[in-house]
């Protein structure tokens, strides 16, 4: 089974980050907007489609901030399918404009919100092992390896 390729958008405004808000049996949890790249779709096409679907945004795709592997067999969790392997490319989102209604949110997604960076460690945020990197914008290493 091949790894799934995912593009994730990172938007900062003042002292906040834009996150998709989800709810399930764990309570509320948060991730950056984004998702899987479809066959024949460029990373930039997927970036634009995903932010439009999940948060109703129109924006420019900026530079790559970091890349991580997510491999469920290395750290099993009941929330990821067995043998799941996803390569996530986190990119900077530039000049966001809320131009659409979010119209194709993920199943557990209940909305989105601008979250204060100081509050990030208090939330159930994924990838949890990268909270410091996102909170303090410390994207010094492009490839971060396998991180949950």
């Amino acid at each position: 089974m091949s790894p799934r390729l995912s593009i994730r958008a990172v938007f900062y405004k003042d002292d906040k980050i834009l996150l998709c808000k989800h709810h399930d049996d764990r309570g509320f949890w948060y991730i950056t907007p984004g998702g899987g790249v479809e066959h024949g779709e460029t990373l930039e096409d997927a970036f634009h489609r995903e932010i439009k679907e999940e948060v109703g945004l129109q924006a420019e795709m900026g530079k790559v901030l970091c890349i991580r592997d997510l491999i469920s067999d290395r750290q099993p969790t009941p929330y990821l399918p067995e043998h799941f392997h996803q390569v996530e490319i986190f990119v900077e989102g530039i000049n966001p404009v809320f131009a659409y209604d979010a119209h194709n949110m993920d199943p557990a997604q209940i909305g989105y919100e601008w979250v204060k960076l100081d509050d990030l460690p208090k939330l159930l945020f994924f990838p949890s092992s990268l909270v410091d990197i996102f909170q303090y914008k410390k994207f010094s290493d492009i490839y971060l390896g396998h991180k949950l």
Side-chain angles (χ1 to χ4, degrees), residues 11 26 37 48 68 70 72 74 99 122 146-147:
F11 291 96
R26 296 171 283 188
V37 178
H48 292 294
R68 78 158 180 154
L70 176 59
S72 67
R74 292 202 178 178
K122 303 171 197 166
H146 168 68
K147 305 280 186 183

Side-chain angles (χ1 to χ4, degrees), residues 7-11 17-23 27-35 50-57 98 102 104-115 120 123-126:
I7 186 89
R8 308 221 57 91
V10 181
F11 291 96
I17 185 170
L18 182 65
L19 299 177
C20 291
K21 185 176 186 177
H22 293 74
H23 188 268
F28 296 110
W29 53 277
Y30 300 82
I31 59 173
T32 56
E50 286 289 341
I51 64 171
K52 180 180 180 181
E53 290 176 354
E54 293 182 357
V55 292
L57 275 179
F98 288 94
N104 194 16
M105 294 189 288
D106 290 339
Q109 185 181 346
I110 60 170
Y112 54 88
E113 64 184 67
W114 288 100
V115 173
L120 206 51
L123 302 175
L124 185 53
F125 170 75
F126 298 105

Side-chain angles (χ1 to χ4, degrees), residues 6-100:
S6 175
I7 186 89
R8 308 221 57 91
V10 181
F11 291 96
Y12 290 107
K13 181 175 78 172
D14 303 320
D15 65 340
K16 297 177 183 165
I17 185 170
L18 182 65
L19 299 177
C20 291
K21 185 176 186 177
H22 293 74
H23 188 268
D24 61 18
D25 61 332
R26 296 171 283 188
F28 296 110
W29 53 277
Y30 300 82
I31 59 173
T32 56
V37 178
E38 297 175 358
H39 181 76
E41 188 175 46
T42 67
L43 291 174
E44 188 168 12
D45 290 343
F47 169 87
H48 292 294
R49 178 182 51 76
E50 286 289 341
I51 64 171
K52 180 180 180 181
E53 290 176 354
E54 293 182 357
V55 292
L57 275 179
Q58 183 176 348
E60 298 169 44
M61 184 174 122
K63 65 182 178 181
V64 173
L65 299 173
C66 64
I67 299 168
R68 78 158 180 154
D69 280 302
L70 176 59
I71 305 170
S72 67
D73 292 347
R74 292 202 178 178
Q75 198 160 3
T77 170
Y79 298 100
L80 291 175
E82 188 176 12
H83 310 304
F84 182 74
H85 182 184
Q86 180 165 277
V87 176
E88 296 182 321
I89 302 172
F90 291 87
V91 299
E92 176 183 36
I94 303 170
N95 300 323
V97 175
F98 288 94
Y100 315 97

